[in-house]
Every structure is written in C-alpha cells, then in structure tokens.
Amino acid sequence: MPFSEMIKERKWCSPPACIRRFMRKRVRPAMDSPVDRRNNLGISYVEHHLSVEEIRDIYSDSYIDADSPENSDGLSTIEARKRLADGGKNFIDPPKEVSNLFLFARQFLYKFWLLLIGAAFLSIFTYFIHLAHGHSEPLNLYCSLILLVIVVFMSFLSFWQEKRAIKVGYSLGIDRFLSNSQRSPRGSG
C-alpha cells in the first residue's frame, strides 16, 4: 500500500499526532461515595490509604469503632460463618520446595547473564563466518568461551548463595511466622 493511501485511510498518523496520542492523560472517574468505593473494591485495593472512618463507612457490617479501633467488636459470628461458606477458608499455601536443577537453571535468566550469553553466541557466529572465509582467527572463539565460563561460574555462585539463604530461612523456622490460625473478635450475635 503506498504511503499516500495510508495517509488518506488514516492508518498512519503524523509524528506530532502520535506523540500527542501517547502523551495524553487518561481520564478516570472519581469515586467519592463509600458505596462506589465498595462496589469498585474488586479492581483496586486501597484500604491502606483510607482513614479508619472511611473503612468503617465502607465495611459497615464489621462494627469498627473509629474512636478506639482496639475496642471494635468485629464481625458477628453469623456473618463470619456466612463469609466462610461463601468464600471458603482464608488459607495461604506454604511455599513449594524448589528443586536444585530448577534453582540452578533460574540463575541463567538474569538480564546481564542473558546479555553475556548473547555476546558469546555472536562471537561464535563471527568465528564461524571468519572460518568460512578462510581466516582462522581463534580470538572470537576464545572470547566466547571465556564469556560462557564466566556466566556458568557466576550462575553457580548465585545458585550456591540462594540455596544457602533458603537453608538459613528454614533453619530459622520461617514457616513458623506463617500462622495457620488467627483469633478474631466476634460480636455477641
């Protein structure tokens, strides 16, 4: 398709128009009322930015005492059972044990290592191009081997450090900090 036809059909925009399109600010509707906040809560979690009074207004069935939150009654027993039946238990699965092979392979995914591996392959590619033209210069091959050795050594070192950190975490009993039970205040209902 010729360039002039692209302009006529508006499949192409001029550089200033494209820049303006990407630089414009998006308009988002303001959520002023607590009802709007509660209805849109599934798409954004903002409770950590709200005051206690605003949280009390949004979660009216939690019986939050805004003057002294530590004296709040919390959910009633009936409401808690209803929420348990609707949403199920609030349970966090323990972290899965990562195999040594997967942990070692994951070390090669760092961006700098990927960059060095790419440079090593380009150097090997250059070596074979020179070899095809009759120039036997092993400098590119040596550079690529050195780069690959550095990447493998540093990945092994990183694997070893991460494995030790995981072992220290489990020896300190990090799984003890992930409590499976919690006491919650309940109302008289």
Side-chain angles (χ1 to χ4, degrees):
M1 173 179 276
F3 183 70
S4 60
E5 288 180 24
M6 289 175 64
I7 293 174
K8 288 178 187 174
E9 293 183 18
R10 308 284 283 165
K11 290 187 177 182
W12 178 83
C13 64
S14 64
C18 289
I19 291 171
R20 272 182 281 158
R21 182 185 304 162
F22 289 113
M23 296 300 287
R24 69 180 175 210
K25 294 184 179 181
R26 300 189 189 269
V27 178
R28 301 198 194 288
M31 295 183 292
D32 293 329
S33 70
V35 175
D36 289 339
R37 286 185 187 165
R38 185 172 186 154
N39 290 337
N40 294 325
L41 207 59
I43 55 174
S44 77
Y45 295 98
V46 295
E47 287 89 357
H48 60 283
H49 292 291
L50 301 176
S51 66
V52 176
E53 290 82 14
E54 290 173 326
I55 292 176
R56 179 193 62 205
D57 293 339
I58 293 173
Y59 300 108
S60 58
D61 52 354
S62 292
Y63 305 109
I64 296 173
D65 185 7
D67 298 328
S68 57
E70 62 275 356
N71 294 333
S72 298
D73 288 335
L75 293 175
S76 66
T77 306
I78 296 168
E79 180 68 23
R81 285 184 184 147
K82 185 176 100 176
R83 289 186 183 193
L84 180 63
D86 289 344
K89 289 187 175 186
N90 189 5
F91 182 73
I92 299 174
D93 292 329
K96 294 180 180 177
E97 182 98 18
V98 179
S99 70
N100 287 339
L101 182 64
F102 180 74
L103 189 62
F104 182 67
R106 194 170 65 185
Q107 304 307 314
F108 289 97
L109 296 179
Y110 292 116
K111 291 178 185 172
F112 186 67
W113 300 151
L114 291 175
L115 185 69
L116 287 179
I117 291 170
F121 284 125
L122 285 176
S123 184
I124 290 173
F125 182 70
T126 306
Y127 170 74
F128 284 123
I129 287 177
H130 283 280
L131 195 61
H133 289 299
H135 306 291
S136 179
E137 298 176 6
L139 182 63
N140 286 330
L141 186 64
Y142 296 150
C143 287
S144 64
L145 289 175
I146 289 171
L147 286 174
L148 290 175
V149 166
I150 288 172
V151 168
V152 169
F153 175 73
M154 293 305 291
S155 294
F156 177 76
L157 191 64
S158 180
F159 160 76
W160 180 62
Q161 288 177 342
E162 191 168 346
K163 190 67 178 171
R164 282 183 50 201
I166 290 172
K167 189 184 291 185
V168 167
Y170 280 115
S171 70
L172 290 175
I174 202 162
D175 52 344
R176 289 182 296 166
F177 296 113
L178 299 175
S179 177
N180 289 333
S181 63
Q182 179 65 36
R183 292 188 50 110
S184 299
R186 296 282 176 251
S188 59

